[in-house]
Amino acid sequence: SLFILTSTTSQPPSDPPSYFDNYKIPVYNWRKNGLPKPSWGLGYRLIQLTETELKSVVHENDYIGRMIETDLRYLITQIELKHN
């Protein structure tokens, strides 16, 4: 199973984009994902954790929501493109 924890922002990328704006990934179906306004996931920093480490820092009440599958696949694809 895959768990992705990402910061989100409602601040769109600047024009022209800053360095960090290049790592903003749009959440196209933001309403279906439970977000109150158009949002972007921030895919700048990647951290690998074991399941035990993850469970020690992220608790069930920390969840805001789950992404719908199409947005999750898009987020994963964009993270891979930006970090490969």
Side-chain angles (χ1 to χ4, degrees):
S1 114
L2 178 65
F3 182 86
I4 294 179
L5 177 66
T6 182
S7 299
T8 57
T9 182
S10 59
Q11 183 67 43
S14 302
D15 187 18
S18 71
Y19 175 79
F20 292 105
D21 284 339
N22 292 313
Y23 292 93
K24 288 184 179 178
I25 302 165
V27 179
Y28 290 113
N29 296 294
W30 52 273
R31 281 190 184 104
K32 288 182 182 178
N33 289 304
L35 299 168
K37 49 187 153 180
S39 298
W40 289 260
L42 304 174
Y44 175 67
R45 185 170 295 162
L46 301 180
I47 301 169
Q48 263 188 302
L49 298 174
T50 66
E51 186 174 347
T52 303
E53 291 169 327
L54 179 66
K55 287 179 178 179
S56 73
V57 294
V58 178
H59 302 74
E60 192 168 329
N61 60 345
D62 294 331
Y63 288 92
I64 294 174
R66 294 180 183 262
M67 293 185 89
I68 61 172
E69 189 172 341
T70 54
D71 282 346
L72 178 60
R73 272 193 255 131
Y74 180 74
L75 179 73
I76 292 167
T77 300
Q78 291 302 304
I79 288 172
E80 287 174 337
L81 288 172
K82 292 174 186 308
H83 288 278
N84 286 330

